[in-house]
Amino acid sequence: MATKDPIDLDAIRAAVARQGAKVREIKKSGGDDLGEAVEKLKALKLELAEAAKSMGSDIGETLDIDRSALDMVLLRRMFVVPSFEIYGGVRGFYDFGPPGCALKANLITLWKQHFILEENMQEIECTNMMPHDVLSTSGHVERFCDLMVKDTKTGECFRGDKILEDHIEKLLTDGSSRTPDEVLSLEKIARQADAYTPEELDKIFSDLGIVSPLGNPFTNSFPFNLMFKSTIGPEGTLDGYLRPETAQGIFINFPRLLDCNYGKMPFAAAQIGQAYRNEIAPRNGLLRVREFCQAEIEHFMHPEKKDHPKFHTVAEDTLKLFPADKQLGDGQCLTDVSLGEAVAKGIIDNETLGYFIGRCASFLTKAGIKSQYLRFRQHLQTEMAHYATDCWDAEILTSYGWVECVGLADRSCFDLKCHGKATNTKMQATYVFPDGPREVTRVEVKFSRKDIGKAFKKSAKIVTQTLQELVEDEEKAMQLEEQLARDGEADLETGEGQVKILRPMVSYAKVKKKVQEQKFVPSVVEPSFGIGRIMYSILEQSFVKGVGGDQQRTSLKFTPAIAPIKCSVLPLSTNKTFRPVVATLAQALTKLGIASKIDESSAAIGRRYARMDEIGVPFALTVDFNTVGYEGYDKDGCVTLRERDSQQQLRIPLLAAPGVVNGLVRGHLKFESLLAKYELVGGSAVQVNATLCGGGSEETSKAVVVESASPNGASLRFSRPATVAKN
Amino acid sequence: MATKDPIDLDAIRAAVARQGAKVREIKKSGGDDLGEAVEKLKALKLELAEAAKSMGSDIGETLDIDRSALDMVLLRRMFVVPSFEIYGGVRGFYDFGPPGCALKANLITLWKQHFILEENMQEIECTNMMPHDVLSTSGHVERFCDLMVKDTKTGECFRGDKILEDHIEKLLTDGSSRTPDEVLSLEKIARQADAYTPEELDKIFSDLGIVSPLGNPFTNSFPFNLMFKSTIGPEGTLDGYLRPETAQGIFINFPRLLDCNYGKMPFAAAQIGQAYRNEIAPRNGLLRVREFCQAEIEHFMHPEKKDHPKFHTVAEDTLKLFPADKQLGDGQCLTDVSLGEAVAKGIIDNETLGYFIGRCASFLTKAGIKSQYLRFRQHLQTEMAHYATDCWDAEILTSYGWVECVGLADRSCFDLKCHGKATNTKMQATYVFPDGPREVTRVEVKFSRKDIGKAFKKSAKIVTQTLQELVEDEEKAMQLEEQLARDGEADLETGEGQVKILRPMVSYAKVKKKVQEQKFVPSVVEPSFGIGRIMYSILEQSFVKGVGGDQQRTSLKFTPAIAPIKCSVLPLSTNKTFRPVVATLAQALTKLGIASKIDESSAAIGRRYARMDEIGVPFALTVDFNTVGYEGYDKDGCVTLRERDSQQQLRIPLLAAPGVVNGLVRGHLKFESLLAKYELVGGSAVQVNATLCGGGSEETSKAVVVESASPNGASLRFSRPATVAKN
């Protein structure tokens, strides 16, 4: 992306990258000047952030988090683990463990409530396996490709654009002096890396002298189709593919969906499910994987009626918009233009697209994405498909940079038209004129089937069909009519070759007719959500390191709605007296449909709170000696309710606790509102109490739960869990 | 299955089949003796049911419903439609439309609450695509096959067992006279059709002279693997398969899952997701498909501790149990043996298996399966895998007969052992002796690595490893020791061939040791749910035809928990005055997370109730003139709440309505309990009112919603929806 003064900013960026490489190098070789190098890196990063800020942007281009620390939590707590790990793993495949699975389910529940229920959409579920013809029509069989190059010696495969990007990054950070023009030119090539034809890419590879990581020459580049291919049925004659997106299943079900909606327009259908891309070289951890969950919406509407009845509900929202002209201009987002103004000024093409941009933003915010880390970037004309009217990506700032997490596109009537044509099916809806019949001009056609049959024999059908279809295109039909009237003959392209049409065979005439209704192929606005990418962005933005001054202590600040576990239930110590109360509390929460977790281990209560913070449990209920009135303690029948982020603790009646937690989790209650009602307990006081009571209990020394050691230096790239000891 | 007096019952069954064929024949040829033939068929069916009943069974062997009427509702209302329908469809693939999708989601929510939340299971989500090695270890690459035969002329493929079954059914119903022994023998062959080896099957085909449907000879039978195969990555060297079951993903994640559970045993993990089988010839509609949803549980436990702490909660439940010896004996289910007795008597192998049988039954009942149509059939010894301890199938009675919908198997330690061995990973848990250290006898081994190295060179490693592994098998190790002591040498099988071991190389000794804990490979009980089959069974059992005396009127009596739409919101007529109230009611329901549907069409209220009954909406709220106090009507601020099955209607305050419906849907309120609180309204009175008011409104004649015509004679086999008009 270009900026106001791109060279300055890019120079600092390049310096950051160079210094980063140096730090890595020193770490690897164990040099003793590491401290100094790190300090310099920090100073450069600060400089970059300030430069970016001075140019009107308050954030840098990556989210500043300790990614390796996050990765370690994700792996150790089994949010996400490499698939088939004990078999050595396969790149681009990940499994969700219990908290990851719950996080995903909660995110999807939120999505369904926000879109399907509140917008009254029709949800469908199609198969993952699709036959050749569907994906051939959609263009995926021919065009869903990346350019690949192979190491001519080893046969190893690489994505051409990624190799090119890496090569240029290396050039820009290798310390050699380059003119600003050279830098700009290299940066431009890197930005367009995925847009070159095979021939263009080969030329650039040759110009820049790019060789494989092992120093061997590359083959010429060639397209590699990213769909997983299989065959359906025992004969082996029907090719099938794993769907590369869920959208196609919706399009081909359009006639039934319209039926299901009593023929009413506009309406939206949605699908949530897996999609697959056989990536050449998956990387960036969870952001580019071979199997992922999509949630896609197709909003069908009249192509000339793209207003939306609920647009007013988002019209005053001001989001960070990054339109195409700003990307080519000063590189700044608009931050003071409301969606209403954006549509009125033509920045966003139409109300329906604008409405979904607004709804998308409110969904992401509800899910825990901070608005300052969310922008909507418009596709440049060169990025858009020829049939698309307007496209915007919701991009979220991550430690990898701005990442496309949702695509919002006005795809016009393209998909329905293609499938309709391929299957000879009318993918049409009906618009009944609200103010009664209208007079319209239509082209009517008359054939002499005898003449056509005689002249074209077997081809008569295709000729007739082509002539028939012309009535849809008034201009062309009347041109043909004029030509026949004038010359007595005309050439016609039938799709199976050109033929000569003679006057007697056909005639066209414009007629005026009164009609009640109009048939039309609907236009489509498609919001398409990458659930895995949104999940990963939430994980990054929720991650906090250094809780309570302890550098090793981390927390995941999930909103209650998406937190995998909503509430922990903890006995103050391992004293048996607490067990029935703990069990009853947990059961009451389960009955309310609230996922809870008991930790009855002998670890101190502070340690157990820390464990719960680590997996992002927003609330904790702690049962202590006063709750049960244990020997010499005053029984108050209350438990301590702790809130994760504020670490505030309240004393609330045992019987009220499940209801209160339910209210907090469902969003009917705010923790702050409880402060007026219940007694605030000093965190440290409880802590002291815990130590005292714990020490006094007869069972403290016995471990009920043995927490296994954490694998050190774990990363999301195929390390083994602690219990997988090798023989 | 054999019965007390099998020949009698089977004779009637055969007669029913013959008469059925005759009826179909007459229908096809349009003969005028149809009525008589149908009457005879009915009489025979009655005879069969009574014969079955007299033998202690109160139901026949199929559920008696009008399947084609149900199919028509499912298709027209888009519960389920053939996938890629506009492309002509592909057998064995179905899409869920909006109500089907919601039904499935509700069933899964119920399942998650019943198992994952209430049993505190660890849910995981693994990939659909799996690499070769995982499925090779599990045995699927080699053995997940059906026997296939091909028409030698056309190349068309068929499942050998199905062709055999069909052939025998035809023989038994062709009217020729056969001795009871001949009939029995043919029936036995049909029953075992899927258990023959290729050679056995070929012999039977030849003996019975079976040819293809076109009269051509078949090829010999050969195994066809049912997994969809693909390749992962660009090199094309890594085979991948779509998983044939979700279970394997759980097994290979065992070490991490155990870690995640703090090393505690026992515990259960669960996975819900798609599985795939490339069926040779899918049939029976939704019961045998190529892509389907499974919900599988793996309960890991100590192989010698298969008791279950919550078994007492199901011990008194009496289910219909069909143990192996009854299947081979009188063919009757046990109906008076509680699960507690069944485990005590060894009918069910252990408490954990019994517990899950009980929980499975309560889940299915909650979901709407009637207990009289549910039985648990034990696998015969010949059906079970060699490693399995005990297996039971939950079978549900459908119009296709008893269908396996859930499998419950004690699979011992087999799966974990196989994956552990293949990957050299310890798939073990730890049992800490609760009463302190124990003295155990262990075999220890001492090597002379020098001697081994010298003798075996490159093979030294495998020899050492084999000798090391022997310590796990006390008997074998001590045998070898004895032999070496006696003869000075012994033969050893290494897996890479036999070698001769000499005395100095190795020695074994039994030693006594005090140990704190024991390592073990857990045993597994696996309840595996076929979500699609359960859904279909619920649809059949919920289906009622002839509501209110109208033969064409149908209803789906879903329980509120699984009903796709919980409540309809209906204005009494199309009068505009109702619209804001209707919209507000629907919004209030949405806020509560309750799926509702508005029908503002001009159809009479009774007609609209019928539409809602048809898709199984359990409650309706109707807004009328009294609700709003329209010109001359007394305003009472109430709406009518209608219950689908009783068709009873109550007058309840508008403001209370969303809360009441919420209570009814979530199961906190019973409709019956409302009868004491609110006024019951006569259905017919409302009906009359509706007609009067509707007629008086200025807008009645305008259709707000145009319901499209239903395709007549629709079936779930690739007919087209009404709006798909062909050009």
Side-chain angles (χ1 to χ4, degrees):
Chain A
M1 132 199 29
T3 55
K4 228 189 239 165
D5 191 356
I7 298 162
D8 273 357
L9 204 56
D10 285 348
I12 310 174
R13 219 173 280 147
V16 167
R18 270 197 302 276
Q19 189 63 22
K22 199 182 258 178
V23 167
R24 283 194 296 277
E25 193 52 44
I26 297 174
K27 274 187 185 163
K28 214 164 151 189
S29 63
D32 53 8
D33 44 357
L34 181 64
E36 195 187 325
V38 169
E39 283 311 310
K40 195 168 167 200
L41 179 62
K42 277 187 188 165
L44 279 167
K45 277 188 177 171
L46 194 66
E47 193 183 336
L48 177 63
E50 280 176 356
K53 202 170 168 183
S54 74
M55 295 170 71
S57 161
D58 58 347
I59 38 171
E61 294 209 25
T62 59
L63 189 69
D64 185 22
I65 63 151
D66 183 342
R67 192 160 70 213
S68 66
L70 172 61
D71 277 1
M72 209 163 80
V73 170
L74 297 189
L75 193 68
R76 206 178 57 224
R77 293 309 203 168
M78 211 179 172
F79 276 87
V80 179
V81 296
S83 304
F84 337 117
E85 194 180 14
I86 64 172
Y87 282 85
V90 177
R91 279 201 294 174
F93 289 100
Y94 293 91
D95 291 349
F96 292 122
C101 211
L103 182 66
K104 183 182 164 192
N106 294 339
L107 188 62
I108 286 175
T109 301
L110 195 68
W111 194 90
K112 285 171 100 165
Q113 173 75 25
H114 193 83
F115 290 106
I116 294 177
L117 269 182
E118 291 187 15
E119 304 286 348
N120 207 6
M121 293 177 177
Q122 309 221 49
E123 189 183 355
I124 68 168
E125 187 183 310
C126 308
T127 55
N128 288 241
M129 179 63 81
M130 300 193 102
H132 172 273
D133 288 358
V134 175
L135 295 165
S136 172
T137 302
S138 68
H140 287 92
V141 171
E142 203 187 328
R143 290 188 304 272
F144 192 62
C145 300
D146 277 340
L147 289 184
M148 181 156 107
V149 290
K150 271 193 192 184
D151 181 314
T152 48
K153 294 270 164 60
T154 65
E156 200 182 344
C157 301
F158 301 89
R159 257 179 78 170
D161 57 341
K162 294 296 162 195
I163 288 285
L164 180 55
E165 283 173 13
D166 288 353
H167 185 81
I168 289 177
E169 194 194 330
K170 227 189 295 170
L171 288 182
L172 290 177
T173 52
D174 66 359
S176 20
S177 71
R178 288 174 203 282
T179 67
D181 276 355
E182 282 171 352
V183 171
L184 268 184
S185 150
L186 284 171
E187 286 190 335
K188 193 177 158 203
I189 294 173
R191 264 201 305 277
Q192 302 185 348
D194 63 352
Y196 292 115
T197 63
E199 296 70 31
E200 287 166 349
L201 196 68
D202 294 344
K203 181 162 188 314
I204 294 170
F205 266 55
S206 147
D207 289 352
L208 294 178
I210 302 178
V211 291
S212 87
L214 293 175
N216 303 321
F218 276 126
T219 60
N220 278 345
S221 61
F222 57 95
F224 171 76
N225 194 293
L226 299 181
M227 289 195 295
F228 286 103
K229 188 175 176 179
S230 189
T231 53
I232 301 171
E235 293 86 2
T237 48
L238 176 58
D239 284 347
Y241 298 90
L242 285 175
R243 60 183 177 192
E245 59 177 25
T246 60
Q248 297 304 324
I250 304 180
F251 293 132
I252 59 178
N253 271 298
F254 171 76
R256 288 235 176 248
L257 286 165
L258 179 64
D259 232 34
C260 212
N261 202 43
Y262 306 122
K264 270 198 297 185
M265 289 288 293
F267 75 94
Q271 178 166 206
I272 305 164
Q274 296 302 93
Y276 306 80
R277 299 189 185 184
N278 191 12
E279 296 284 352
I280 294 171
R283 53 181 199 175
N284 288 4
L286 296 168
L287 293 177
R288 188 166 292 282
V289 293
R290 284 172 165 157
E291 187 174 332
F292 50 96
C293 178
Q294 281 191 323
E296 295 195 299
I297 296 166
E298 306 298 332
H299 180 92
F300 300 103
M301 62 197 168
H302 194 292
E304 284 146 33
K305 293 175 212 308
K306 296 189 176 178
D307 53 316
H308 195 287
K310 285 163 80 180
F311 182 68
H312 66 94
T313 61
V314 303
E316 289 179 17
D317 296 357
T318 301
L319 308 170
K320 210 179 270 198
L321 296 178
F322 198 18
D325 61 347
K326 296 291 273 183
Q327 294 166 53
L328 300 170
D330 66 5
Q332 301 303 307
C333 285
L334 299 172
T335 53
D336 55 356
V337 176
S338 71
L339 287 174
E341 290 168 301
V343 170
K345 289 180 180 166
I347 298 171
I348 297 171
D349 184 75
N350 60 70
E351 275 193 4
T352 298
L353 188 57
Y355 178 68
F356 278 112
I357 288 175
R359 290 292 288 169
C360 168
S362 56
F363 164 70
L364 292 173
T365 313
K366 264 192 213 167
I369 297 295
K370 299 184 179 89
S371 58
Q372 68 266 38
Y373 299 146
L374 171 64
R375 74 179 184 192
F376 288 85
R377 191 182 71 78
Q378 190 173 35
H379 281 205
L380 300 176
Q381 203 58 45
T382 50
E383 286 177 84
M384 266 196 300
H386 65 93
Y387 48 80
T389 312
D390 192 10
C391 296
W392 293 76
D393 287 342
E395 295 185 332
I396 302 178
L397 193 72
T398 72
S399 64
Y400 296 95
W402 287 102
V403 171
E404 176 203 344
C405 291
V406 186
L408 300 117
D410 183 332
R411 297 176 58 82
S412 75
C413 318
F414 181 75
D415 307 276
L416 290 184
K417 275 196 173 150
C418 288
H419 286 296
K421 196 164 175 209
T423 59
N424 205 12
T425 306
K426 283 205 167 134
M427 303 292 244
Q428 292 184 337
T430 305
Y431 176 60
V432 180
F433 299 125
D435 38 11
R438 287 184 191 170
E439 196 176 79
V440 295
T441 307
R442 282 200 180 160
V443 174
E444 288 199 341
V445 61
K446 275 185 192 151
F447 298 113
S448 161
R449 288 187 195 270
K450 206 180 101 191
D451 289 316
I452 294 173
K454 224 160 123 186
F456 301 113
K457 309 242 158 52
K458 273 190 188 165
S459 302
K461 198 178 159 195
I462 178 86
V463 170
T464 312
Q465 196 182 322
T466 311
L467 292 170
Q468 175 68 54
E469 279 169 5
L470 266 187
V471 303
E472 305 289 337
D473 189 335
E474 184 182 315
E475 198 181 332
K476 271 199 189 160
M478 295 320 294
Q479 261 176 16
L480 183 63
E481 173 60 29
E482 269 172 47
Q483 206 181 338
L484 288 173
R486 192 178 60 230
D487 309 335
E489 62 172 57
D491 290 334
L492 180 75
E493 190 56 57
T494 66
E496 287 180 6
Q498 213 180 45
V499 294
K500 197 172 287 297
I501 301 293
L502 304 178
R503 172 72 279 182
M505 292 177 182
V506 70
S507 68
Y508 294 92
K510 279 201 234 182
V511 291
K512 286 194 174 176
K513 273 206 163 178
K514 280 218 166 186
V515 292
Q516 304 268 358
E517 56 183 39
Q518 177 197 36
K519 298 273 178 198
F520 64 95
V521 179
S523 248
V524 159
V525 162
E526 176 186 274
S528 166
F529 293 71
I531 296 296
R533 288 185 172 190
I534 295 171
M535 268 177 76
Y536 181 72
S537 305
I538 292 171
L539 284 166
E540 279 204 351
Q541 292 192 16
S542 309
F543 186 63
V544 178
K545 213 184 141 189
V547 176
D550 177 353
Q551 262 316 301
Q552 293 317 303
R553 196 168 154 187
T554 64
S555 176
L556 283 163
K557 302 199 165 195
F558 298 130
T559 62
I562 65 148
I565 293 162
K566 312 296 186 190
C567 186
S568 56
V569 186
L570 311 171
L572 188 60
S573 75
T574 55
N575 192 307
K576 274 183 194 160
T577 194
F578 299 133
R579 289 192 193 163
V581 186
V582 165
T584 307
L585 265 178
Q587 272 163 25
L589 292 171
T590 301
K591 274 260 155 78
L592 292 166
I594 291 177
S596 66
K597 197 179 182 91
I598 294 173
D599 184 351
E600 290 183 321
S601 76
S602 64
I605 190 73
R607 172 90 191 87
R608 283 179 287 147
Y609 283 147
R611 274 183 199 161
M612 294 301 166
D613 289 351
E614 194 183 21
I615 56 169
V617 183
F619 305 105
L621 291 174
T622 306
V623 177
D624 59 27
F625 291 100
N626 294 110
T627 311
V628 293
Y630 189 69
E631 303 167 0
Y633 286 82
D634 291 335
K635 179 170 178 173
D636 68 355
C638 287
V639 290
T640 301
L641 169 68
R642 176 183 182 267
E643 199 265 340
R644 179 195 60 211
D645 298 341
S646 66
Q647 298 195 34
Q648 283 182 319
Q649 302 184 19
L650 293 177
R651 201 71 192 155
I652 64 172
L654 181 58
L655 291 178
V660 167
V661 171
N662 190 43
L664 290 168
V665 167
R666 314 262 177 222
H668 313 142
L669 269 180
K670 291 267 160 228
F671 189 80
E672 298 75 46
S673 73
L674 298 174
L675 294 172
K677 198 165 171 191
Y678 300 111
E679 187 197 346
L680 199 63
V681 191
S684 59
V686 167
Q687 192 64 51
V688 169
N689 211 13
T691 315
L692 279 176
C693 305
S697 139
E698 75 241 75
E699 291 201 3
T700 317
S701 59
K702 265 190 217 161
V704 175
V705 169
V706 181
E707 193 175 23
S708 52
S710 326
N712 281 326
S715 86
L716 277 173
R717 287 159 219 281
F718 315 125
S719 66
R720 277 163 191 280
T723 49
V724 186
K726 298 305 270 180
N727 291 326
Chain B
M1 133 196 27
T3 54
K4 232 187 237 165
D5 192 356
I7 299 162
D8 271 359
L9 204 55
D10 286 346
I12 309 173
R13 219 172 280 147
V16 168
R18 269 196 303 275
Q19 189 63 23
K22 200 182 261 178
V23 167
R24 282 193 296 279
E25 194 53 44
I26 297 174
K27 275 188 183 161
K28 215 165 151 188
S29 63
D32 54 7
D33 44 356
L34 181 63
E36 195 187 325
V38 168
E39 283 310 312
K40 194 168 167 199
L41 180 60
K42 278 186 188 164
L44 279 166
K45 278 188 177 170
L46 195 67
E47 192 183 338
L48 177 62
E50 279 174 358
K53 203 169 167 184
S54 74
M55 295 170 72
S57 161
D58 57 345
I59 38 172
E61 294 209 23
T62 60
L63 189 68
D64 185 21
I65 63 150
D66 183 343
R67 192 160 70 210
S68 66
L70 172 62
D71 276 2
M72 211 164 78
V73 170
L74 298 188
L75 193 69
R76 207 179 56 223
R77 293 310 203 167
M78 212 180 171
F79 277 87
V80 179
V81 296
S83 304
F84 337 118
E85 193 182 16
I86 63 170
Y87 280 86
V90 178
R91 278 201 295 174
F93 290 101
Y94 292 91
D95 292 349
F96 293 123
C101 210
L103 183 66
K104 183 183 164 192
N106 294 339
L107 188 62
I108 286 175
T109 300
L110 196 68
W111 194 91
K112 285 171 102 167
Q113 173 75 26
H114 193 82
F115 290 106
I116 293 178
L117 268 182
E118 290 187 16
E119 305 286 348
N120 207 6
M121 293 176 175
Q122 310 221 47
E123 189 184 354
I124 67 168
E125 186 184 309
C126 307
T127 55
N128 288 242
M129 179 63 82
M130 300 193 100
H132 171 274
D133 288 358
V134 175
L135 294 164
S136 172
T137 301
S138 68
H140 287 92
V141 171
E142 203 188 328
R143 291 188 303 273
F144 192 62
C145 300
D146 277 341
L147 289 185
M148 181 156 107
V149 290
K150 273 193 191 184
D151 181 313
T152 48
K153 292 269 164 61
T154 67
E156 200 182 346
C157 302
F158 301 88
R159 257 179 78 171
D161 57 341
K162 295 295 164 195
I163 287 286
L164 180 55
E165 283 172 11
D166 288 354
H167 185 82
I168 289 176
E169 195 195 330
K170 227 188 295 171
L171 288 182
L172 290 178
T173 53
D174 67 359
S176 23
S177 72
R178 289 173 202 283
T179 66
D181 277 355
E182 282 170 353
V183 171
L184 268 184
S185 151
L186 283 172
E187 286 189 336
K188 194 177 158 201
I189 293 174
R191 266 201 304 277
Q192 302 185 349
D194 63 352
Y196 292 115
T197 64
E199 295 70 30
E200 288 166 348
L201 196 68
D202 293 343
K203 180 157 188 319
I204 295 170
F205 265 55
S206 147
D207 289 352
L208 295 177
I210 302 179
V211 291
S212 86
L214 292 176
N216 303 320
F218 276 126
T219 61
N220 278 345
S221 61
F222 57 95
F224 172 76
N225 193 294
L226 299 181
M227 290 195 294
F228 286 103
K229 188 176 176 179
S230 189
T231 54
I232 301 172
E235 292 85 1
T237 48
L238 177 58
D239 283 348
Y241 298 90
L242 285 175
R243 60 184 177 192
E245 59 176 24
T246 60
Q248 298 303 325
I250 303 179
F251 293 134
I252 60 177
N253 272 298
F254 171 76
R256 288 235 177 247
L257 286 165
L258 179 64
D259 231 36
C260 212
N261 202 43
Y262 307 121
K264 271 198 297 186
M265 290 288 293
F267 75 95
Q271 179 165 205
I272 305 164
Q274 296 301 92
Y276 305 80
R277 300 190 184 182
N278 191 12
E279 297 284 352
I280 295 170
R283 52 183 200 175
N284 287 5
L286 295 167
L287 293 177
R288 188 166 293 281
V289 292
R290 285 172 164 157
E291 186 174 331
F292 50 94
C293 178
Q294 281 191 321
E296 294 195 300
I297 296 166
E298 306 298 333
H299 180 93
F300 300 103
M301 63 196 168
H302 193 292
E304 285 146 32
K305 293 176 214 308
K306 296 188 177 179
D307 54 314
H308 195 288
K310 285 162 81 180
F311 183 68
H312 65 94
T313 62
V314 303
E316 288 179 18
D317 296 356
T318 301
L319 307 171
K320 209 178 270 198
L321 297 178
F322 198 18
D325 63 346
K326 296 291 273 183
Q327 293 166 53
L328 299 171
D330 66 5
Q332 301 303 306
C333 287
L334 298 172
T335 53
D336 55 356
V337 177
S338 71
L339 286 174
E341 289 169 300
V343 170
K345 289 181 180 165
I347 298 171
I348 297 172
D349 184 75
N350 59 70
E351 275 194 5
T352 298
L353 187 57
Y355 178 69
F356 279 109
I357 288 175
R359 290 290 289 168
C360 168
S362 56
F363 164 71
L364 292 173
T365 313
K366 265 192 212 168
I369 297 296
K370 299 184 180 89
S371 58
Q372 68 267 37
Y373 299 146
L374 171 65
R375 73 179 184 193
F376 288 85
R377 190 184 71 79
Q378 190 173 37
H379 282 206
L380 299 176
Q381 204 58 44
T382 50
E383 285 177 84
M384 265 196 302
H386 65 92
Y387 49 80
T389 312
D390 192 11
C391 296
W392 293 76
D393 286 342
E395 294 185 332
I396 303 178
L397 193 71
T398 72
S399 64
Y400 296 95
W402 286 101
V403 171
E404 177 204 343
C405 291
V406 186
L408 300 118
D410 182 332
R411 298 176 57 85
S412 75
C413 318
F414 180 75
D415 308 274
L416 290 184
K417 273 195 175 150
C418 288
H419 286 297
K421 197 167 174 204
T423 59
N424 204 12
T425 307
K426 283 204 165 135
M427 303 291 246
Q428 292 184 336
T430 305
Y431 175 61
V432 180
F433 298 125
D435 38 11
R438 288 186 190 170
E439 195 176 79
V440 295
T441 305
R442 284 202 179 158
V443 173
E444 288 199 342
V445 59
K446 274 186 191 152
F447 296 113
S448 162
R449 288 187 195 270
K450 206 179 102 192
D451 288 318
I452 294 174
K454 223 161 128 186
F456 300 113
K457 309 243 157 48
K458 274 190 187 166
S459 302
K461 199 177 159 196
I462 178 86
V463 171
T464 312
Q465 196 183 324
T466 311
L467 292 170
Q468 174 69 53
E469 279 169 6
L470 266 187
V471 303
E472 305 290 338
D473 189 334
E474 185 183 315
E475 199 181 331
K476 272 199 188 159
M478 295 320 294
Q479 262 176 17
L480 183 63
E481 173 60 30
E482 269 172 47
Q483 206 180 340
L484 288 172
R486 192 178 59 228
D487 308 336
E489 62 172 55
D491 290 333
L492 181 75
E493 190 55 58
T494 66
E496 289 180 7
Q498 212 181 47
V499 295
K500 197 171 284 298
I501 301 293
L502 305 179
R503 172 73 278 185
M505 293 177 184
V506 69
S507 68
Y508 293 92
K510 279 202 233 180
V511 291
K512 287 195 174 174
K513 272 205 162 178
K514 280 216 165 187
V515 292
Q516 304 269 357
E517 58 184 38
Q518 177 198 35
K519 297 275 178 198
F520 65 95
V521 179
S523 248
V524 160
V525 163
E526 176 186 274
S528 168
F529 293 72
I531 296 296
R533 288 186 173 190
I534 295 170
M535 269 177 76
Y536 181 72
S537 305
I538 292 171
L539 285 165
E540 279 203 351
Q541 292 193 15
S542 309
F543 187 62
V544 177
K545 214 183 140 188
V547 176
D550 176 354
Q551 262 316 301
Q552 293 317 304
R553 196 168 154 186
T554 64
S555 174
L556 283 162
K557 302 199 164 196
F558 298 129
T559 62
I562 65 149
I565 293 162
K566 313 297 185 190
C567 186
S568 56
V569 185
L570 311 171
L572 187 59
S573 75
T574 55
N575 192 307
K576 275 183 192 159
T577 194
F578 299 133
R579 290 194 192 160
V581 186
V582 165
T584 307
L585 265 178
Q587 274 164 24
L589 291 171
T590 300
K591 275 259 155 78
L592 292 166
I594 291 175
S596 66
K597 196 180 185 90
I598 294 173
D599 184 350
E600 290 183 320
S601 75
S602 65
I605 190 74
R607 172 88 190 90
R608 283 179 286 147
Y609 283 147
R611 275 184 197 159
M612 294 300 167
D613 289 351
E614 194 184 20
I615 56 169
V617 183
F619 305 106
L621 291 173
T622 306
V623 177
D624 59 26
F625 292 99
N626 294 111
T627 311
V628 294
Y630 189 70
E631 304 167 1
Y633 285 84
D634 292 334
K635 179 170 179 172
D636 67 356
C638 286
V639 290
T640 302
L641 169 69
R642 176 181 182 269
E643 200 264 338
R644 180 194 60 211
D645 298 341
S646 66
Q647 298 194 34
Q648 283 182 318
Q649 302 183 18
L650 293 177
R651 200 74 192 155
I652 65 171
L654 182 58
L655 291 178
V660 167
V661 171
N662 190 43
L664 290 168
V665 167
R666 314 259 178 225
H668 314 142
L669 270 180
K670 291 266 160 227
F671 189 80
E672 298 74 47
S673 73
L674 299 174
L675 294 173
K677 200 167 171 189
Y678 300 110
E679 187 198 346
L680 199 62
V681 190
S684 58
V686 167
Q687 192 65 50
V688 169
N689 211 13
T691 315
L692 279 176
C693 306
S697 139
E698 76 241 72
E699 293 201 2
T700 317
S701 58
K702 267 189 216 160
V704 175
V705 169
V706 182
E707 194 176 23
S708 52
S710 326
N712 281 329
S715 86
L716 277 173
R717 287 159 220 280
F718 314 126
S719 65
R720 278 164 191 279
T723 49
V724 186
K726 300 304 271 179
N727 292 327

